[in-house]
C-alpha cells in the first residue's frame, strides 16, 4: 500500500513541477510549492540550490525524489548503488536509481538503459 501511495504522490509531484501548481491553498505559487518541498527534504535542486522549477523533471531526478519519499528520509541510497545495473546512469544518480530498482519503483527501457536524462511524462 505504501508503494502505491508513494507512486501516486510522485506522479502528482512530477505533474506539479512541469505545469501550474494545483493546491488547496489559494495563491500558492510554483516557487512557494518548491520551497515547501525543499523544506521537507524531498526536492533539493542542483548543486547551487536552484530548484530549476521551469525545467522538466528528468528520470534520474525523479528517482532521487522517489527515494526520499519512499524511504521517508531514513534510507541511505548509497547502500543501493549495487542495484543500478543500467549503463547510462550518471554516478550521482546510481544510488537513487538503484534504490528505486531494488524496490520496484522504476524500470529501464531494456538493453541496460534507463534513460536518466529523459523527461518524465504523465504517461510514464
Amino acid at each position: 500500500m505504501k508503494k502505491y501511495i508513494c507512486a501516486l504522490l510522485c506522479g502528482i509531484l512530477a505533474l506539479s513541477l512541469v505545469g501550474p501548481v494545483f493546491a488547496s491553498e489559494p495563491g500558492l505559487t510554483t516557487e512557494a510549492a518548491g520551497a515547501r518541498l525543499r523544506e521537507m527534504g524531498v526536492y533539493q535542486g542542483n548543486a547551487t540550490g536552484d530548484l530549476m522549477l521551469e525545467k522538466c523533471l528528468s528520470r534520474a531526478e525523479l528517482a532521487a525524489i522517489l527515494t526520499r519519499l519512499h524511504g521517508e528520509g531514513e534510507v541511505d541510497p548509497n547502500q543501493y548503488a549495487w542495484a543500478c545495473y543500467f549503463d547510462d546512469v550518471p554516478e550521482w544518480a546510481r544510488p537513487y536509481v538503484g534504490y528505486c530498482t531494488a524496490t520496484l519503483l522504476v524500470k529501464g527501457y531494456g538493453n541496460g538503459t534507463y534513460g536518466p536524462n529523459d523527461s518524465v511524462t504523465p504517461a510514464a
Side-chain angles (χ1 to χ4, degrees):
M1 181 68 172
K2 183 177 175 182
K3 287 182 184 181
Y4 296 113
I5 293 171
C6 182
L8 176 64
L9 288 174
C10 289
I12 292 168
L13 175 65
L15 290 174
S16 72
L17 293 175
V18 297
V21 175
F22 297 104
S24 60
E25 187 177 323
L28 184 66
T29 65
T30 302
E31 290 75 20
R36 189 167 295 161
L37 290 172
R38 182 197 316 252
E39 289 170 13
M40 294 169 54
V42 173
Y43 196 66
Q44 297 175 351
N46 66 12
T48 64
D50 180 10
L51 293 180
M52 304 175 295
L53 297 174
E54 70 286 344
K55 101 178 211 359
C56 291
L57 193 64
S58 73
R59 285 173 50 91
E61 293 164 340
L62 179 62
I65 291 169
L66 283 171
T67 299
R68 293 180 193 123
L69 283 172
H70 191 256
E72 297 179 354
E74 299 175 12
V75 169
D76 179 6
N78 292 313
Q79 295 178 347
Y80 292 89
W82 62 268
C84 182
Y85 54 85
F86 304 109
D87 299 327
D88 60 344
V89 175
E91 197 61 36
W92 73 265
R94 294 188 73 72
Y96 300 109
V97 174
Y99 175 83
C100 290
T101 301
T103 56
L104 305 175
L105 294 174
V106 299
K107 292 183 179 181
Y109 294 135
N111 297 327
T113 60
Y114 176 71
N117 297 320
D118 294 351
S119 296
V120 175
T121 63

